[in-house]
Amino acid sequence: MNNFTKNEIKKIVSDLMKEMRNEIPVGVSNRHIHLSQEDFELLFPGETLEPLKMLKQPGEFAAKQTLTLIGKKGKQEKVRILGPLRKRTQVEISKTDARVLGIDAPIRLSGNLVDAGMVTLKSDNNEVSLRAAIVAKRHIHMNPNDLERFNLKEDDVLTVKLKTPERETIYKDVSIRLGEKFILEMHIDTDEANAANVTNSTKALLIRDEKME
């Protein structure tokens, strides 16, 4: 049995508390769709977007409606739509999804559809083809209080460690998504989560701000 001195115990507790203050919940983002009002009305004439389940970020929800994604090589049925409706339609898939479907989807932050991949969205009523498919760049949702607590700037590029059993993983090039009402959470896609053995209880530890080195 180890016999720690009082100073050693204080340091252990201090280090543990510091690490806990730097911990960030991790959310895994499966493939999903954000629709514009125009595209929703085309695909679901006469309907309204119906919430099925509220999501962690305030005001956001998974809708009851789903669509089929169609690419050059295949299709994926029952892909969930997330609400509320947005100004532009956006389809978020993983790199694995992109290869299976045959969609050339670039890695982009949400809202950046430069060179987005061509995808067809099909409902029971209609279909629409447009450049809207991206692979979401890993990011952390923060509000201004979080930014101040971590002593960060909105354009900082972060490095985090995912504390997972047997596959502890360090992810670099993590962006910040700042919003007044955002709840602190790191978002990664299913490919990244599977690679790191992520579970519902996984936490990310902020270990470095690359711009500040």
Side-chain angles (χ1 to χ4, degrees):
M1 181 176 180
N2 293 322
N3 294 316
F4 294 106
T5 66
K6 288 184 177 180
N7 286 338
E8 288 173 333
I9 293 174
K10 285 182 179 179
K11 185 179 186 307
I12 291 171
V13 172
S14 176
D15 290 345
L16 181 60
M17 293 300 293
K18 182 178 180 181
E19 181 173 306
M20 290 177 64
R21 286 195 296 270
N22 285 332
E23 285 184 342
I24 298 168
V26 177
V28 180
S29 182
N30 202 350
R31 67 183 77 92
H32 60 271
I33 303 164
H34 301 280
L35 286 179
S36 68
Q37 182 72 45
E38 179 182 3
D39 289 334
F40 179 80
E41 291 176 358
L42 176 67
L43 293 164
F44 300 96
E47 295 186 33
T48 58
L49 191 62
E50 297 183 64
L52 173 67
K53 177 183 177 182
M54 300 306 298
L55 302 179
K56 187 169 183 178
Q57 298 304 321
E60 298 185 5
F61 59 90
K64 293 181 180 180
Q65 290 96 334
T66 63
L67 289 167
T68 297
L69 299 184
I70 304 173
K72 294 178 181 179
K73 294 182 179 180
K75 64 181 180 180
Q76 178 68 54
E77 298 179 336
K78 297 186 181 303
V79 179
R80 188 71 54 188
I81 299 170
L82 302 189
L85 298 174
R86 294 190 175 185
K87 292 182 179 180
R88 297 181 67 184
T89 292
Q90 176 175 294
V91 177
E92 297 183 34
I93 56 179
S94 69
K95 275 295 183 183
T96 297
D97 291 331
R99 293 189 181 98
V100 170
L101 293 170
I103 298 173
D104 186 14
I107 298 174
R108 296 280 187 270
L109 281 175
S110 180
N112 180 359
L113 298 181
V114 175
D115 299 324
M118 181 65 71
V119 62
T120 297
L121 308 179
K122 180 177 175 56
S123 68
D124 291 338
N125 302 292
N126 214 332
E127 66 179 53
V128 59
S129 297
L130 68 172
R131 290 197 170 276
I134 63 170
V135 176
K137 189 176 186 295
R138 50 182 174 256
H139 58 275
I140 300 175
H141 286 267
M142 291 187 178
N143 60 49
N145 289 334
D146 296 320
L147 208 66
E148 182 178 357
R149 177 162 64 92
F150 288 112
N151 192 26
L152 298 171
K153 301 184 296 296
E154 184 176 2
D155 62 350
D156 282 338
V157 179
L158 309 177
T159 298
V160 302
K161 177 171 66 177
L162 298 188
K163 301 164 61 179
T164 56
E166 300 178 331
R167 279 193 173 183
E168 189 170 276
T169 303
I170 291 177
Y171 278 130
K172 297 185 176 182
D173 196 24
V174 181
S175 297
I176 294 172
R177 294 289 310 280
L178 185 65
E180 287 292 331
K181 296 182 179 180
F182 278 165
I183 293 175
L184 183 66
E185 186 176 42
M186 180 177 180
H187 281 184
I188 57 177
D189 68 21
T190 51
D191 285 349
E192 293 168 315
N194 289 335
N197 197 27
V198 169
T199 68
N200 290 336
S201 61
T202 295
K203 304 291 184 183
L205 180 64
L206 181 62
I207 60 175
R208 183 157 56 92
D209 178 352
E210 295 175 341
K211 286 192 174 183
M212 298 173 71
E213 287 192 336

